[in-house]
């Protein structure tokens, strides 16, 4: 879902959106640019650079949504990216988004932006949540202290966005500053004399150097002579030797103290609002017992909306009506009249034709399911339910060496596993990220596949659905548990900020859904066409029959499926939702009985999602780890499917 991720042009004057993780930067970005960035109530959602444009003073300015940072003296790769944008790019204005509930944390970033000499606007997002907690911030007084524009917003409700837009042409340079004491100030002056002219102040770079910012080394080696680099290191050591604590700690403590003093001067606290219905519901949704019926109710509504309305009603209208009555018959007539060569005619309207197979599968069968799922998922995102789900499932994930935050990529995986693999970065350690990536690739069906699965199981029985869900969840748990024991590395603590439950804004849901459908049409549909072309080619050269013969011992003998299912598994290597669509077609034509439906769906659910997901796994985990995951998953998927088939036979189970 990052199709609009692009390389920035460093020389173009731009607006940079900067802020701590989980403060709503992506929401503000989407409202300013009219483009959808991955938005949710979870920390770490902004995992890559996203750009758009915004109309300011009669001209279109590029807007960059930067990764979340806790400091501009980087401690992580994401923080390096954000700092380097401010250091190297032509930044016309910074829009700093802060959580109004955690003003002090945001002000620490404000102080560093002021030290850099960059003009910025301070956006206090989640203003309503601060009010509900009894926090009242005197924005006028805060603006006077910081020396820049301060705008309260509620991003998810679009409140304050007009005021923010109106302020974008006003470049105010903050007067906020700290005196770090005679010794450090002396060091800053000595370092400034050795630094070249840059896009941010020499003082801020001097502070980074004194704090021991190792990520500046590449920039230093390109910008400063070797002799001056040695002088800089001598000055840093000279200043450091006069303190017992590391200089980075000393500088950071001064910023924290300054931020706390500002908060004390502008914020007052009261008791806050009393308990409301949504507050009670929000507590129930996190409760270890009462949260279960809430979860079941959510799942039931999703099943009815996606599995019944999307996969059965809408898909039936499109497949049997639009494509079955009009598009495919008429296109076949046209092809027979104008394309005399049977080879090229079959290419478009044959058994493996681009129109009769690729477009029928991707538009008539999958799109209605994907569309309804995207609507349901958008509502869950904006309602604030997902963080509560994370709290509720924390203990289960802990058994798998993870914590409740892992539910974010897992639930996002129900929308798109490729996007979800990127968000695995919310996990703090490599071990956690590898486990999450493995589980996503192994057994979390994306929206397209899930819709097909729900549609097929909905036509069998409730017990078939329960068996499929039980087997997949059991496999995920066992693999997760064993991975946590086998993989080396440490876990991390579970710290989470719970937003209030909200009624989603209709316009936001429409915006997100259309953006996601746009992504599906651009990225997924072409792969459906490629997959069809592979099947078409194999069919024409006799390769398909050969593959079926080779795979028969496994597909027919071990899984107990008809040989025709080999085509679905074959194309499932490319995209497993496409493979699922092939199984859907077999089930509709009566070639799969209920037991075979469940066995085939369990098997293909455990496939690697798609080629794009494999490439992202390589990017996130490295080639060696990604290949190890793939080499484990495919044989394991057939093993689980085969075992399930034998269990059905052994116990005489007929669904």
């Amino acid at each position: 879902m990052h199709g609009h991720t692009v390389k920035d042009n460093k020389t173009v004057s731009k607006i940079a959106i900067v802020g701590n993780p989980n403060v709503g930067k992506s929401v503000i970005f989407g409202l300013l640019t009219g483009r959808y960035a991955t938005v949710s109530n979870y920390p770490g959602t902004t995992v890559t650079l996203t750009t758009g444009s915004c109309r300011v003073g009669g001209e279109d300015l590029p807007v960059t949504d930067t990764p979340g940072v806790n400091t501009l003296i980087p401690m992580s790769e994401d923080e390096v990216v954000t700092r380097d944008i401010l250091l190297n790019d032509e930044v016309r204005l910074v829009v700093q988004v802060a959580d109004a509930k955690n003003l002090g944390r945001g002000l620490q970033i404000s102080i560093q932006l002021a030290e850099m000499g960059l003009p910025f606007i301070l956006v206090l997002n989640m203003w309503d949540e601060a009010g509900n907690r009894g926090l009242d911030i005197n924005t006028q007084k805060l603006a006077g202290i910081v020396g820049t524009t301060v705008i309260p917003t509620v991003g998810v409700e679009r409140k304050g966005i007009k005021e923010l837009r109106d302020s974008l042409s006003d470049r105010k340079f903050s007067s906020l500053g700290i005196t770090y004491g005679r010794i450090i100030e002396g060091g800053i002056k000595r370092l400034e004399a050795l630094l070249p002219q840059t896009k941010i102040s020499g003082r801020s770079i001097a502070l980074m150097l004194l704090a021991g910012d190792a990520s500046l080394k590449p920039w230093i080696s390109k910008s400063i002579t070797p002799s001056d680099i040695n002088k800089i290191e001598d000055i840093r050591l000279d200043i450091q030797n006069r303190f017992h604590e590391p200089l980075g700690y000393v500088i950071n403590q001064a910023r924290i103290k300054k931020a706390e003093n500002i908060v004390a001067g502008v914020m007052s606290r009261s008791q806050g609002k009393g308990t409301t219905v949504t507050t009670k519901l929000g507590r129930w949704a996190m409760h270890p017992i009462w949260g279960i019926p809430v979860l079941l109710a959510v799942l039931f509504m999703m099943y009815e909306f996606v599995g019944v309305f999307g996969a059965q009603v809408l898909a039936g209208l499109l497949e049997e009506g639009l494509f079955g009555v009009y598009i495919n018959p008429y296109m076949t007539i046209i092809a027979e009249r104008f394309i005399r060569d049977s080879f090229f005619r079959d290419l478009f309207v044959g058994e493996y034709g681009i129109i009769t197979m690729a477009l029928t599968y991707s538009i008539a069968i999958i799109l209605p399911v994907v569309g309804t799922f995207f609507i349901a998922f958008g509502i869950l995102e904006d309602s604030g339910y997902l963080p509560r789900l994370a709290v509720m499932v924390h203990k289960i994930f802990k058994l798998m060496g993870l914590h409740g935050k892992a539910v974010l990529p897992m639930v996002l995986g129900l929308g798109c596993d490729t996007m979800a693999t990127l968000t695995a970065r919310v996990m703090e350690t490599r071990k956690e990220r590898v486990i999450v990536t493995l589980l996503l690739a192994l057994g979390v069906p994306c929206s397209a596949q899930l819709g097909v699965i729900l549609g097929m199981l909905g036509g069998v029985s409730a017990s078939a659905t329960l068996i499929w869900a039980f087997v997949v969840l059991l496999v995920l748990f066992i693999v997760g548990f064993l991975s946590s024991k086998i993989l080396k590395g440490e876990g991390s603590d579970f710290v989470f900020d719970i937003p209030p439950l909200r009624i989603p804004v209709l316009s936001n849901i429409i915006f997100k859904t259309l953006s996601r459908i746009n992504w599906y049409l651009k990225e997924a549909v072409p792969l459906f066409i490629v997959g069809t072309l592979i099947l078409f080619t194999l069919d024409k050269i006799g390769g398909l029959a050969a593959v079926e013969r080779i795979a028969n011992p496994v597909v027919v003998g071990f899984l107990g499926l008809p040989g025709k299912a080999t085509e679905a598994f074959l194309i499932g290597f490319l995209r497993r939702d496409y493979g699922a669509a092939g199984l859907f077609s077999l089930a509709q034509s009566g070639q799969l009985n209920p037991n075979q439906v469940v066995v085939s769906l369990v098997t293909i659910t455990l496939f690697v999602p798609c080629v794009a997901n494999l490439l992202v796994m390589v990017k996130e985990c490295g080639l060696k780890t990604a290949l190890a995951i793939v080499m484990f998953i495919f044989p394991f998927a057939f093993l689980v499917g085969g075992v399930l088939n034998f269990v059905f036979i052994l116990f005489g189970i007929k669904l």
Side-chain angles (χ1 to χ4, degrees):
M1 192 81 42
H2 295 271
H4 45 268
T5 300
V6 297
K7 291 182 180 178
D8 268 332
N9 185 340
K10 296 177 185 297
T11 62
V12 176
S13 180
K14 64 169 67 71
I15 294 173
I17 298 180
V18 173
N20 302 107
N22 195 29
V23 294
K25 294 188 307 299
S26 298
V27 178
I28 300 297
F29 169 84
L31 293 171
L32 288 179
T33 63
R35 301 185 71 168
Y36 175 63
T38 309
V39 176
S40 76
N41 290 312
Y42 288 81
T45 298
T46 304
V47 293
T48 185
L49 283 184
T50 310
T51 63
S53 64
C54 179
R55 195 80 176 160
V56 179
E59 63 175 318
D60 288 324
L61 282 183
V63 180
T64 299
D65 183 17
T66 65
V69 295
N70 289 308
T71 173
L72 293 172
I73 298 177
M75 303 292 288
S76 69
E77 184 182 0
D78 283 356
E79 290 176 340
V80 171
V81 170
T82 299
R83 192 280 316 278
D84 283 353
I85 288 172
L86 301 177
L87 174 62
N88 298 317
D89 292 9
E90 289 290 342
V91 177
R92 175 165 165 169
L93 179 71
V94 174
V95 174
Q96 188 208 340
V97 183
D99 180 356
K101 306 188 301 296
N102 295 296
L103 179 60
R105 194 165 67 127
L107 285 173
Q108 292 172 44
I109 304 291
S110 306
I111 291 168
Q112 293 173 76
L113 289 172
E115 288 173 341
M116 287 180 169
L118 293 168
F120 71 95
I121 294 172
L122 178 57
V123 174
L124 300 182
N125 198 29
M126 306 179 193
W127 185 256
D128 58 336
E129 294 178 28
N132 290 339
R133 294 188 184 187
L135 304 177
D136 182 33
I137 301 169
N138 186 331
T139 54
Q140 194 171 359
K141 189 174 181 181
L142 178 61
I145 294 173
V146 178
T148 190
T149 305
V150 176
I151 301 175
T153 63
V154 182
V156 293
E157 297 180 7
R158 303 187 174 216
K159 292 180 180 175
I161 302 305
K162 181 180 181 304
E163 290 79 1
L164 176 57
R165 280 181 177 278
D166 293 342
S167 303
L168 292 177
S169 56
D170 191 11
R171 302 178 71 224
K172 285 188 178 177
F173 292 83
S174 170
S175 55
L176 203 55
I178 296 177
T179 301
Y180 290 94
R182 183 181 58 81
I183 298 174
I184 291 180
E185 289 295 333
I188 291 171
K189 282 191 170 56
R190 291 164 65 191
L191 288 174
E192 280 186 286
L194 298 171
L195 295 174
Q197 192 76 22
T198 62
K199 294 182 172 63
I200 62 175
S201 73
R203 178 181 175 82
S204 64
I205 296 178
L207 282 164
M208 292 176 200
L209 293 170
L210 286 175
D213 182 356
S215 68
L216 269 180
K217 282 184 179 176
W219 178 84
I220 289 175
S221 61
K222 285 192 298 185
S223 311
I224 302 174
T225 62
S227 63
D228 282 348
I229 290 176
N230 291 332
K231 290 178 186 175
I232 287 172
E233 184 58 18
D234 290 343
I235 293 170
R236 196 191 73 78
L237 289 174
D238 178 38
I239 304 298
Q240 176 61 75
N241 288 335
R242 304 188 202 185
F243 290 86
H244 296 296
E245 303 284 357
L247 278 177
Y249 175 81
V250 174
I251 292 169
N252 195 42
Q253 287 300 305
R255 289 170 175 162
I256 291 173
K257 188 176 179 183
K258 178 75 174 179
E260 287 175 347
N261 287 337
I262 295 173
V263 172
V266 301
M267 181 183 283
S268 59
R269 300 171 187 269
S270 59
Q271 191 171 356
K273 293 184 179 179
T275 303
T276 63
V277 174
T278 54
T279 306
K280 286 182 180 176
L281 186 59
R283 287 176 186 165
W284 292 341
M286 290 187 290
H287 194 276
I289 295 175
W290 300 120
I292 293 173
V294 174
L295 174 61
L296 292 176
V298 169
L299 293 176
F300 175 75
M301 286 188 284
M302 282 195 71
Y303 174 78
E304 287 293 319
F305 186 60
V306 179
V308 177
F309 180 68
Q312 295 180 31
V313 178
L314 293 182
L317 286 174
L318 285 178
E319 187 189 10
E320 296 169 13
L322 181 63
F323 275 79
V325 176
Y326 298 103
I327 293 179
N328 288 342
Y330 283 113
M331 293 308 295
T332 302
I333 292 171
I334 293 171
E336 287 174 348
R337 177 168 297 179
F338 294 103
I339 305 176
R340 294 186 177 181
D341 190 296
S342 63
F343 179 88
F344 290 105
R345 190 166 59 242
D346 289 347
L347 179 62
F348 292 99
V349 296
E351 185 180 3
Y352 303 105
I354 292 173
I355 296 171
T356 46
M357 187 174 192
L359 295 185
T360 302
Y361 277 21
S362 59
I363 304 297
I365 296 176
I366 304 294
L367 184 59
V369 177
V370 169
T372 48
F373 180 85
F374 285 160
I375 293 171
F377 191 69
I379 292 171
L380 284 180
E381 275 185 318
D382 283 14
S383 67
Y385 175 69
L386 295 182
R388 288 166 171 78
L389 182 60
V391 172
M392 206 182 76
V393 300
H394 170 61
K395 289 184 179 177
I396 297 172
F397 277 100
K398 198 172 180 181
L399 293 173
M400 295 188 282
L402 303 171
H403 51 63
K405 241 191 264 186
V407 82
L408 165 64
M410 294 298 167
V411 175
L412 287 177
L414 296 175
C416 170
D417 280 301
T418 304
M419 175 187 71
T421 303
L422 287 167
T423 60
R425 291 184 192 179
V426 298
M427 308 307 294
E428 282 79 2
T429 68
R430 174 175 166 76
K431 176 183 177 179
E432 292 171 339
R433 289 193 289 273
V434 170
I435 294 175
V436 167
T437 302
L438 168 62
L439 297 182
L440 280 169
L442 176 64
V444 179
C446 66
S447 56
Q449 188 194 15
L450 184 62
V452 178
I453 289 171
L454 292 177
M456 287 179 69
L457 293 173
V460 181
S461 64
S463 58
T465 308
L466 290 175
I467 290 173
W468 170 81
F470 174 76
V471 172
V472 172
L473 290 174
L474 181 65
V475 165
L476 283 176
F477 179 78
I478 291 173
V479 171
F481 176 77
L482 294 176
S483 300
S484 70
K485 303 300 177 188
I486 295 170
L487 292 175
K488 294 179 181 177
E490 298 294 326
S492 60
D493 295 328
F494 181 45
V495 180
F496 220 64
D497 194 16
I498 303 297
L501 277 186
R502 299 174 186 276
I503 297 174
V505 178
L506 179 62
S507 57
N508 282 351
I509 302 301
I510 294 173
F511 181 54
K512 287 183 177 187
T513 302
L514 292 178
S515 298
R516 284 168 165 159
I517 287 177
N518 181 51
W519 158 82
Y520 170 78
L521 294 175
K522 284 183 176 176
E523 295 195 15
V525 173
L527 283 177
F528 276 72
I529 295 173
V530 171
T532 301
L533 291 175
I534 292 173
L535 280 180
F536 175 81
T537 305
L538 286 174
D539 181 55
K540 289 297 180 186
I541 63 175
L544 204 53
V547 171
E548 283 185 18
R549 281 197 300 275
I550 294 170
N552 264 359
V554 175
V555 175
V556 179
F558 190 52
L559 297 180
L561 302 176
K564 191 76 174 172
T566 304
E567 291 176 20
F569 291 126
L570 183 63
I571 211 66
F573 284 97
L574 193 65
R575 272 190 74 92
R576 65 182 177 187
D577 50 323
Y578 193 9
L583 296 174
F584 186 91
S585 181
L586 285 179
Q588 279 191 316
S589 61
Q591 297 182 62
L592 294 178
N593 64 36
N595 282 25
Q596 290 172 323
V597 167
V598 175
V599 169
S600 63
L601 289 181
V602 165
T603 305
I604 206 158
T605 301
L606 300 178
F607 270 31
V608 172
C610 61
V611 174
N613 182 255
L614 173 61
L615 296 176
V616 169
M617 280 198 295
V618 172
K619 176 175 177 286
E620 295 296 301
C621 302
L623 179 63
K624 187 177 174 183
T625 302
L627 289 179
I629 289 175
V630 171
M631 291 175 68
F632 162 73
I633 283 179
F634 282 115
F636 185 72
F638 284 105
L639 175 66
V640 174
V643 169
L644 182 61
N645 177 43
F646 279 102
V647 168
F648 283 157
I649 295 171
L650 185 65
F651 292 97
I653 298 172
K654 289 188 178 180
L655 298 172

